[in-house]
Amino acid sequence: MIKSIIRGTGKFVPPNLVTNKDLEKILDTSDEWIQQRTGIKQRYWVSPEGVTGASDLGFEAAKQALDAAGWTAEDLDFIIFATLSPDIMFPGCGCLMAAKLGLNSTPALDIRQQCTGFLYGFATADAYIKTGLAKKVLLVGGEVHSSGLDKSTRGRDVTVIFGDGAGALCIEGVDTKDCGLLASALHADGNYADSLMTELPASRLPHRNPPGLPLDDPRYFPVMDGPSIFKKAVRLLPKVTKEVLEKAGIGLDEVDLVVPHQANKRINQAFGQFLKLPEDKIFHNIEKYGNTTAASIPLALHEAIEQGRTGKSGETVLFVALGAGLTWGASLYRFL
Ligand code: ACO
């Protein structure tokens, strides 16, 4: 049976380190508040002078993943790019990154599912592989949040959590059994779209950028009802975990490591407590990178493998995420 197997991973963050102390200098916050409420100590933001889009960060992570897989870009027959912060309105980052990889006809698809983008991307890659539409897929999550954040005290709840970065996976269809992507469970509820969104520019308006609006109008920046998203995450992430375990027909005790979306360390700790998971079964790197949205799971997976926390044949990882949309989901992967 054809299964989707991870052949290589990659990660990239821009060199510009921004600590919580740096943020104290530009808005009313404190290192103590950020660490206590989120677990974040620092994040990387692209240089404000440079011209760096999500596809540039994705390109760097993609090159690493290709090297790790022993593939060249020409080996790819499908590209999926997950981002909420595309370089430009259109075309999508998948096309832009494919051109940077030197490709000129490989199909490329963008996914706009925010923090759940990686899970939707992996499930999509799997569907393409299982239906024979693709064999070697590059899945990238990449975000440049920093150029779109409200860096005044008004936006502090959102601005302190987001970091820029990218993660990439090379995924291949292999005839095998009992390993690869075992199951995915995906959900969306657009009734809560306004609990986390950036409203402008908006095609639903007569002018996408309404004339006369100041550039610091709050609608140009992400706004979030943090406490309500937090509560939804704590309730829905364990629920979707049970769903995906049932789909795969395995028990939680068979999961060796959870690599969750890195939105808030407290969310992942509450998730672990609810499911009675030992602390060392949950991988965290939010302290170094903040929330890199679609990049966060592939970036965390890359580090977990690098650190020897997962990646051995037969080991099973659970991915789980919730984000804007609302979107949420989980998937289970077993290494070949
Ligand atoms: N520094 C200092 N004080 C702050 C900051 C800050 N950066 N941000 C908010 N505060 C203040 C608030 O003004 C409030 O003050 P008040 O009590 O005087 O009114 C107080 O801190 C508490 O604010 P809350 O919003 O209730 O703080 P909370 O503990 O909920 O933490 C946070 C906020 C970190 C945003 C949390 O709600 C959270 O992580 N929510 C979920 C985020 C998430 O998972 N998002 C989805 C993924 S992102 C995506 O999909 C794009």
Side-chain angles (χ1 to χ4, degrees), residues 27-30 33-34 37-38 84 113-116 145 153 155-162 196 224-231 233 261 263-264 266-267 291 293 322-327:
L27 45 84
D28 182 11
T29 190
S30 68
W33 190 96
I34 301 171
R37 302 285 178 131
T38 69
L84 68 66
Q113 301 312 112
Q114 298 66 250
C115 297
T116 320
H145 284 297
T153 295
R156 64 183 177 175
D157 56 332
V158 176
T159 297
V160 302
I161 66 176
F162 283 129
L196 176 49
M224 174 168 69
D225 180 352
S228 117
I229 303 251
F230 193 104
K231 282 182 209 138
H261 169 49
N264 185 323
R266 286 191 299 135
I267 291 179
N291 176 351
T293 310
L322 176 140
L326 284 181
T327 56

Side-chain angles (χ1 to χ4, degrees), residues 7-258:
R7 292 299 200 189
T9 62
K11 76 155 203 216
F12 185 75
V13 289
N16 181 26
L17 173 67
V18 179
T19 64
N20 293 347
K21 290 274 176 207
D22 293 327
L23 293 181
E24 284 179 3
K25 292 177 204 146
I26 58 169
L27 45 84
D28 182 11
T29 190
S30 68
D31 177 40
E32 191 192 3
W33 190 96
I34 301 171
Q35 285 208 48
Q36 269 181 8
R37 302 285 178 131
T38 69
I40 300 167
K41 294 182 179 165
Q42 58 175 54
R43 76 287 291 138
Y44 294 85
W45 283 354
V46 297
S47 159
E49 291 85 41
V51 182
T52 310
S55 78
D56 296 298
L57 305 185
F59 172 59
E60 297 299 333
K63 283 191 294 186
Q64 265 188 39
L66 287 168
D67 279 352
W71 297 357
T72 65
E74 287 69 29
D75 291 327
L76 297 170
D77 48 27
F78 202 68
I79 291 172
I80 302 174
F81 200 115
T83 187
L84 68 66
S85 51
D87 297 31
I88 50 178
M89 287 278 285
F90 71 86
C93 283
C95 297
L96 302 181
M97 191 191 65
K100 286 173 186 141
L101 286 168
L103 301 172
N104 60 12
S105 72
T106 310
L109 175 78
D110 269 37
I111 291 212
R112 296 283 306 271
Q113 301 312 112
Q114 298 66 250
C115 297
T116 320
F118 169 79
L119 300 179
Y120 273 79
F122 205 171
T124 304
D126 188 51
Y128 271 79
I129 285 169
K130 289 203 171 124
T131 51
L133 283 169
K135 190 162 189 297
K136 290 186 170 177
V137 180
L138 173 65
L139 169 60
V140 176
E143 305 285 1
V144 172
H145 284 297
S146 57
S147 53
L149 296 172
D150 179 354
K151 293 178 186 136
S152 72
T153 295
R154 182 182 63 184
R156 64 183 177 175
D157 56 332
V158 176
T159 297
V160 302
I161 66 176
F162 283 129
D164 302 338
L169 256 60
C170 286
I171 305 165
E172 182 172 15
V174 175
D175 195 359
T176 179
K177 57 178 184 173
D178 300 332
C179 58
L181 186 65
L182 304 178
S184 297
L186 302 173
H187 296 279
D189 185 353
N191 292 302
Y192 296 96
D194 59 3
S195 53
L196 176 49
M197 68 171 175
T198 299
E199 208 177 332
L200 291 176
S203 69
R204 63 188 175 185
L205 297 178
H207 300 281
R208 287 172 190 214
N209 293 300
L213 268 195
L215 284 175
D216 67 350
D217 187 277
R219 284 170 288 174
Y220 284 118
F221 302 108
V223 287
M224 174 168 69
D225 180 352
S228 117
I229 303 251
F230 193 104
K231 282 182 209 138
K232 286 207 165 54
V234 170
R235 187 169 60 82
L236 292 172
L237 295 178
K239 196 171 167 203
V240 76
T241 294
K242 287 182 181 162
E243 182 187 342
V244 81
L245 287 166
E246 262 172 42
K247 270 190 163 184
I250 67 170
L252 188 58
D253 55 334
E254 290 176 71
V255 172
D256 298 292
L257 188 69
V258 183

